[in-house]
Amino acid sequence: MAKVIGSSFEYSDERMDALMSEYQRYIASCSHIYGPAVFEHIVNQPCRRFWVSNIRAMVVIADMLRGRDLGSMRPSKREMFREIFDRVLVMRAKHPGLSLYKLVSMVVEQPAPKFYLSPSSAKIMICKARKEWYRKRMQKL
């Protein structure tokens, strides 16, 4: 996938790998699989980082510091940026000399409590990835 700095594409491959790993881990642990529960479980699992670029996060956090509303943002993204914002405020109090960009960069690289995706978005992404995997596998045969 394309890697465009500062965009949502920057970490898409890594996020997809993490999502698929969580999907495979969950499926392997189940004796009975109920689709909606699978995706609800997956999106609420911790991740190794926040899946947003440093630049995008800095822009949103700077807006939040200016008091701008995140009302038009999807609920999961709004929740993610509020978590990042809260952590940036804590880091800023501990390290007042650091730039906003450095603080945001440090926070987005911290473990995240969840994927911040809707279950339906995760389902679409996983189904697309599985379809691509099967297509590549069939090409090899």
Side-chain angles (χ1 to χ4, degrees):
M1 183 152 299
K3 188 169 187 167
V4 180
I5 303 301
S7 77
S8 60
F9 296 119
E10 189 170 352
Y11 297 104
S12 61
D13 289 343
E14 289 177 63
R15 179 179 67 174
M16 197 64 238
D17 289 346
L19 199 59
M20 288 303 293
S21 285
E22 199 56 52
Y23 172 77
Q24 290 165 346
R25 186 176 11 265
Y26 183 76
I27 295 299
S29 72
C30 294
S31 59
H32 176 73
I33 298 169
Y34 176 64
V38 171
F39 301 107
E40 181 72 35
H41 174 82
I42 291 168
V43 297
N44 287 303
Q45 293 307 296
C47 314
R48 68 175 187 81
R49 62 166 292 136
F50 288 90
W51 299 111
V52 62
S53 73
N54 298 349
I55 294 169
R56 175 67 181 143
M58 188 195 65
V59 168
V60 173
I61 300 307
D63 284 348
M64 291 174 77
L65 287 169
R66 289 185 203 105
R68 295 205 178 130
D69 183 31
L70 302 178
S72 64
M73 208 175 272
R74 289 181 313 215
S76 58
K77 290 293 178 203
R78 187 177 326 122
E79 182 184 0
M80 177 185 71
F81 284 118
R82 288 188 189 196
E83 177 68 24
I84 293 170
F85 180 78
D86 290 345
R87 291 185 189 193
V88 165
L89 293 180
V90 169
M91 294 282 290
R92 191 182 200 184
K94 289 180 183 176
H95 308 284
L98 294 179
S99 69
L100 180 60
Y101 181 78
K102 181 64 177 169
L103 293 168
V104 170
S105 297
M106 290 167 63
V107 168
V108 299
E109 293 171 7
Q110 293 175 351
K114 61 187 195 173
F115 278 90
Y116 294 103
L117 291 170
S118 68
S120 60
S121 293
K123 179 180 179 181
I124 291 167
M125 293 167 71
I126 288 169
C127 288
K128 186 176 178 181
R130 285 177 47 204
K131 187 176 181 181
E132 182 65 17
W133 181 82
Y134 284 122
R135 187 187 66 74
K136 286 180 181 176
R137 188 170 179 215
M138 293 307 279
Q139 284 180 344
K140 290 180 181 179
L141 295 177

